[in-house]
Amino acid sequence: MKTIAHLSDLHFGTEIHAVADALMADLHAQSPSLLVVSGDLTQRARRSQFAAARDYLRRLPQPQLVVPGNHDIPLFDVGRRFLAPLTRYQRFIGEQVNPVYCDDELFVAGLNTARAFTWKSGRISTAQLQRLWENLWNVGDRLKIIVTHHPFIAPPRTAGIALVGRAAQAIPLLDACGVDLLLAGHLHQGYAGDIRTTYPQAQRAVISAQAGTAISGRTRGEANAYNLLQCDRDQIRIMVRAFQGGEFSALSEALFVHSSHGWEPSSRSAKGPVRASGD
């Protein structure tokens, strides 16, 4: 069984140092097999913010898979925004904006959904879908995970949220290649659910899990938090660990078990205020 720590929306430039220190301590205590960061490492894509994010990531557990978010593209520097939107990200964080991680049990593909021509929204390109198809086709029986910044599904009982563009076109690929799990952020809300609540054309149940903001003061009615996942081919356990009482500790837990229809929620070992889409 693998353990994945899923962070999102660090927003360096608005970080809370006490929360950042507590998160670092908790991540080292959890010792994840893989650390995933689903975008928005900075608040305004400034050099100093990227440098702070880089230095922080270097002190967290390895290996890591990181994708950019819309805040990692300059907003007010118009020339850089349109001519070199991710140059600073690539210089400080990583050259690959669509990174891939593979080991004996996991295949994880990151997709950059941040776009210079939009402010908040993002999308998947047809070229990204083609590369994803090529990458997923021969990975065998590994657990297949896709990481984006922008989410595939909205929070429960919430309407009008802009989801990642071209998501509907990706659904046949998710079905054909047996994708298991989608990880994202962007909304600073933690929740998880079946993509079929939003895309009824999907033939299989795929889990979409979003993480809240890990260390930023830009919380939206929720504590700073991250997702800790324990997963294998039979089950995926998503545990939300939140900053409370000066440290990160367990807040809620949801368990999904594998079936002939994909991944189904289970009441076994679920506890706390689990926010599952479609409940």
Side-chain angles (χ1 to χ4, degrees):
M1 179 172 287
K2 296 287 186 175
T3 301
I4 300 172
H6 170 211
L7 320 181
S8 198
D9 297 271
L10 306 181
H11 286 283
F12 271 90
T14 66
E15 76 276 16
I16 302 172
H17 295 292
V19 178
D21 290 344
L23 176 62
M24 183 183 301
D26 196 59
L27 288 171
H28 281 290
Q30 301 300 329
S31 189
S33 312
L34 175 67
L35 178 71
V36 167
V37 185
S38 56
D40 277 3
L41 284 81
T42 68
Q43 176 62 13
R44 284 290 173 252
R46 298 189 176 119
R47 290 186 187 89
S48 60
Q49 294 170 1
F50 274 124
R54 174 201 60 197
D55 294 346
Y56 186 72
L57 291 178
R58 286 177 175 174
R59 299 170 64 193
L60 299 185
Q62 303 287 335
Q64 299 177 0
L65 183 142
V66 185
V67 298
N70 54 290
H71 276 263
D72 298 320
I73 293 177
L75 179 60
F76 301 114
D77 186 345
V78 177
R80 184 177 293 275
R81 178 175 182 84
F82 292 108
L83 298 177
L86 288 171
T87 299
R88 287 178 179 166
Y89 176 92
Q90 291 175 300
R91 174 186 170 190
F92 286 96
I93 305 301
E95 183 66 26
Q96 297 298 322
V97 298
N98 298 289
V100 171
Y101 172 84
C102 187
D103 63 20
D104 56 338
E105 296 181 43
L106 301 175
F107 177 86
V108 188
L111 299 180
N112 168 36
T113 58
R115 298 292 183 263
F117 289 88
T118 63
W119 177 38
K120 289 184 178 180
S121 58
R123 72 173 45 246
I124 303 168
S125 71
T126 54
Q128 285 175 310
L129 290 177
Q130 178 61 36
R131 285 194 299 271
L132 189 60
W133 173 273
E134 295 166 357
N135 286 334
L136 285 168
W137 192 247
N138 294 311
V139 300
D141 196 37
R142 293 175 174 86
L143 200 72
K144 302 174 184 70
I145 303 170
I146 297 174
V147 181
T148 60
H149 177 61
H150 297 84
F152 274 75
I153 65 174
R157 296 174 293 277
T158 300
I161 294 295
L163 303 176
V164 63
R166 213 169 266 116
Q169 290 92 319
I171 298 303
L173 183 150
L174 304 185
D175 282 334
C177 295
V179 170
D180 300 289
L181 179 63
L182 309 172
L183 301 179
H186 184 55
L187 300 177
H188 298 201
Q189 292 181 268
Y191 55 100
D194 183 346
I195 64 167
R196 294 178 299 179
T197 59
T198 303
Y199 310 98
Q201 70 271 31
Q203 301 299 306
R204 298 169 52 258
V206 179
I207 304 168
S208 181
Q210 278 62 242
T213 178
I215 62 173
S216 168
R218 301 177 75 248
T219 54
R220 295 173 184 164
E222 296 184 6
N224 292 103
Y226 76 97
N227 295 335
L228 189 69
L229 299 92
Q230 294 176 339
C231 39
D232 58 24
R233 292 304 310 160
D234 297 319
Q235 67 177 40
I236 297 175
R237 188 183 305 273
I238 303 174
M239 297 165 284
V240 178
R241 295 186 65 79
F243 184 72
Q244 38 195 358
E247 63 182 6
F248 279 81
S249 58
L251 176 65
S252 64
E253 179 180 307
L255 179 66
F256 297 84
V257 294
H258 196 258
S259 74
S260 59
H261 303 292
W263 293 91
E264 307 289 349
S266 171
S267 60
R268 290 188 299 114
S269 302
K271 59 185 180 181
V274 177
R275 295 174 291 274
S277 182
D279 60 359

